[in-house]
Amino acid sequence: MSEHQHEHDHSAVGNIKFAFFLNLSFSIIEIIGGLLTNSMAILSDALHDLGDSISLALSWYLENFSQKKADEDFSYGYARFSLLGALINSLVLILGSFFILSEVIPRLFNPQTVHPEGMLFLAIIGITVNGISVLKLRSGSSLNKEVVSWHLMEDLLGWSAVLVVSIILIFKSIPVLDPLLSLLINIYILYNVISKLKKVLSIFLQGVPGGIDINKLQQKVVKQTEALAVHHTHVWTLEGEKNFLSTHLIVSDQINREEIIALKSKVKSLLAEEGIDHVTVEIEYENEKCESKDCRA
């Protein structure tokens, strides 16, 4: 790892640490404020903020842990532990959202009086806290940091909505606005978190990374190199950033050692253009006996 990369990772971890303590402190204030103002919208966001604090704590630990180098136990390294954080974080927020929904839906039919002035005060603090956290984590590139940063952005939008509703309630009593707002916030969060969860699960199940078409990759290699055919191509990603590929190239029987070395180098360069930096190439000769019917596919 370069010195620049090391400093970048250290800074990212430090930003997560800062955001964690900031959000944990505010979550405690928010829970107390939600109970005092009797606002389900605030209690709803408080649970999500608490979930975000857990997410940040996990991210803080797992980002550090994921930077360990490969060893005999994990030959690919520990980078996927960062992805594990994204998985746990997503599940925590989904469970929290369903819990809040079970509390909010009955209030839609039986709205209760809230304290809009207290909601307004907490909304201003919430916008400030989450705004600072988003700015701290905006440069995150891993899926783990992306999930956490997205949650914080949603909280920022949620608090902006609470601010607007609290101002309306100060001038006009419409108590159903509070549980309605909470419902909308939770549905919005669930939609986006489930979308991220699908991406995380796809990576764990070694799905082909988004934006990569195996057939097009094989055609590109055949058209731009001396390979006669390409087959048994497999593509996967380690944690959403590092993409791996293994493939078999069928070549002419007359090809020599130097040409094979040049061919492999050219293939790796072509695939690097497609965002694949870790490539394993197996060479097969044209008249070599095939073990499968699709060896010339």
Side-chain angles (χ1 to χ4, degrees), residues 3-4 10 26 49 71 118 130 134 186 192 203 273 275 291:
E3 183 178 349
H4 174 75
H10 180 75
F26 180 62
D49 275 349
D71 56 27
N130 285 284
V134 168
N186 275 274
N192 287 286
I203 294 173
E273 296 173 359
E291 296 181 357

Side-chain angles (χ1 to χ4, degrees), residues 58-75:
L58 281 169
S59 297
W60 177 15
Y61 172 75
L62 291 173
E63 282 298 325
N64 268 323
F65 196 72
S66 68
Q67 293 169 25
K68 292 178 64 176
K69 295 181 179 179
D71 56 27
E72 59 185 14
D73 294 321
F74 292 90
S75 60

Side-chain angles (χ1 to χ4, degrees), residues 160-178:
S160 299
V162 170
L163 178 68
V164 173
V165 168
S166 64
I167 292 174
I168 294 174
L169 291 176
I170 288 175
F171 295 99
K172 192 167 184 179
S173 179
I174 314 175
V176 75
L177 284 180
D178 178 68

Side-chain angles (χ1 to χ4, degrees), residues 27-267:
S27 294
I28 297 171
I29 295 173
E30 194 176 3
I31 290 171
I32 296 172
L35 292 172
L36 292 175
T37 59
N38 196 32
S39 169
M40 280 305 299
I42 290 179
L43 286 174
S44 172
D45 208 79
L47 184 60
H48 285 299
D49 275 349
L50 190 60
D52 286 337
S53 296
I54 295 172
S55 299
L56 288 165
L58 281 169
S59 297
W60 177 15
Y61 172 75
L62 291 173
E63 282 298 325
N64 268 323
F65 196 72
S66 68
Q67 293 169 25
K68 292 178 64 176
K69 295 181 179 179
D71 56 27
E72 59 185 14
D73 294 321
F74 292 90
S75 60
Y76 277 109
Y78 289 75
R80 192 163 276 196
F81 279 86
S82 175
L83 187 66
L84 179 62
L87 175 62
I88 296 173
N89 296 340
S90 298
L91 293 175
V92 166
L93 287 179
I94 288 173
L95 291 174
S97 292
F98 278 116
F99 172 75
I100 287 296
L101 286 174
S102 69
E103 298 291 324
V104 166
I105 292 174
R107 282 208 181 191
L108 287 172
F109 304 98
N110 185 27
Q112 298 183 19
T113 303
V114 297
H115 298 81
E117 293 82 4
M119 290 175 63
L120 177 63
F121 176 73
L122 287 171
I124 293 171
I125 300 177
I127 291 171
T128 303
V129 169
N130 285 284
I132 293 172
S133 297
V134 168
L135 289 174
K136 280 286 185 180
L137 293 174
R138 71 185 186 280
S139 60
S141 58
S142 72
L143 190 55
N144 184 22
K145 285 182 278 187
E146 183 182 338
V147 168
V148 173
S149 181
W150 178 247
H151 293 169
L152 294 172
M153 177 61 75
E154 289 175 333
D155 286 335
L156 179 60
L157 295 174
W159 276 115
S160 299
V162 170
L163 178 68
V164 173
V165 168
S166 64
I167 292 174
I168 294 174
L169 291 176
I170 288 175
F171 295 99
K172 192 167 184 179
S173 179
I174 314 175
V176 75
L177 284 180
D178 178 68
L180 182 60
L181 173 62
S182 179
L183 179 65
L184 294 176
I185 290 173
N186 275 274
I187 291 174
Y188 180 65
I189 290 174
L190 273 174
Y191 174 79
N192 287 286
V193 173
I194 289 174
S195 174
K196 298 294 182 185
L197 180 61
K198 288 171 62 178
K199 185 176 180 181
V200 171
L201 290 176
S202 175
I203 294 173
F204 269 119
L205 296 173
Q206 294 190 314
V208 176
I212 293 180
D213 186 318
I214 290 180
N215 289 327
K216 288 184 179 179
L217 290 180
Q218 293 185 151
Q219 291 171 11
K220 180 176 183 178
V221 170
V222 171
K223 289 179 180 179
Q224 299 187 35
T225 71
E226 294 72 28
L228 301 177
V230 182
H231 70 115
H232 286 331
T233 301
H234 306 281
V235 187
W236 69 100
T237 180
L238 188 61
E239 35 38 322
E241 295 182 82
K242 302 181 184 71
N243 295 327
F244 290 74
L245 178 145
S246 67
T247 190
H248 288 216
L249 305 183
I250 297 179
V251 299
S252 169
D253 294 335
Q254 286 71 44
I255 195 169
N256 59 42
R257 180 176 179 276
E258 288 72 22
E259 289 172 330
I260 288 176
I261 293 173
L263 174 61
K264 286 187 174 183
S265 178
K266 189 172 183 179
V267 168

